[in-house]
Amino acid sequence: AQGFRDDVEDADAAALAKNSAGMEFSEEDMEQVKQYAKSIQVLFELRKGMDAYIETAARRFAPNTAAIAGPAIALRLLVLAGGLDKLAKMPSSTIQLLGAEKALFRHLKGQGRSPKHGILFSHDLVQKAPHELKGKVARLVAAKIAIAARVDYFSKDDRSAKMRGELEAQVGVVLK
């Protein structure tokens, strides 16, 4: 019965196992734990499949926006905006605050600070920026996403590599 304390073969691990806190597992306990572990493994596989689907869908519908924002953020922006057509017509300041509407209205009532970023907070470039520059980097990312969404909607050209390079160069200048 694999997984019991008595079945540990490594000498160091066996010593740790003998002195560990907790109760002994019965065969039934071990079977439940194994089923739970299999369920978690299935969920991880589903997550991988969903991530792959999201990436292909984002690159198919909005390749430039997906390259700038990342596939997951691009699709979340499209959902929050109500479609690529509406995202393409939004100013970058609105794109920057998508997902932070609650904080924005709280600020407008005079009950909080103004939000600097909505879902763009999870963008890799915003995450890497120092705290005091996150708002500035989010503004740059939102501006480039606005341009990318317009290219995706109006021209369908794939300029993603060039646009991503420009964004990284702009962020590099801000972070220096």
Side-chain angles (χ1 to χ4, degrees):
Q2 186 179 13
F4 292 103
R5 290 182 189 177
D6 296 335
D7 296 337
V8 178
E9 294 177 9
D10 181 35
D12 294 331
L16 288 173
K18 296 284 185 209
N19 297 326
S20 70
M23 63 181 227
E24 287 289 331
F25 273 18
S26 68
E27 290 288 335
E28 183 182 349
D29 295 333
M30 191 56 78
E31 193 57 40
Q32 289 296 320
V33 169
K34 286 179 182 178
Q35 284 181 347
Y36 185 67
K38 285 179 186 174
S39 298
I40 291 173
Q41 191 173 15
V42 166
L43 289 175
F44 275 112
E45 293 302 319
L46 282 170
R47 172 72 189 257
K48 279 185 194 175
M50 185 59 77
D51 287 344
Y53 171 74
I54 285 172
E55 188 165 334
T56 57
R59 295 200 190 289
R60 186 173 10 141
F61 294 118
N64 296 300
T65 308
I68 299 299
I73 295 174
L75 288 183
R76 286 182 66 196
L77 286 170
L78 289 171
V79 168
L80 287 170
L84 184 59
D85 57 333
K86 291 181 181 172
L87 184 66
K89 295 172 185 175
M90 282 185 177
S92 64
S93 58
T94 302
I95 292 172
Q96 181 180 349
L97 295 180
L98 280 175
E101 291 84 4
K102 197 172 181 180
L104 177 63
F105 290 118
R106 188 173 39 239
H107 166 71
L108 292 174
K109 287 186 203 174
Q111 299 172 354
R113 295 180 21 213
S114 65
K116 304 290 184 251
H117 33 64
I119 65 169
L120 291 184
F121 182 75
S122 58
H123 191 279
D124 59 333
L125 294 174
V126 176
Q127 284 290 311
K128 291 177 187 173
H131 178 71
E132 63 274 2
L133 295 176
K134 285 189 188 294
K136 219 176 232 193
V137 173
R139 193 166 40 254
L140 287 171
V141 171
K144 197 56 83 170
I145 288 172
I147 294 168
R150 290 172 186 142
V151 170
D152 285 336
Y153 182 69
F154 293 111
S155 77
K156 308 280 191 252
D157 292 343
D158 187 2
R159 303 180 195 164
S160 56
K162 180 183 175 205
M163 293 175 78
R164 180 69 188 202
E166 290 171 355
L167 175 63
E168 289 173 355
Q170 290 171 333
V171 170
V173 169
V174 167
L175 296 180
K176 284 185 181 180

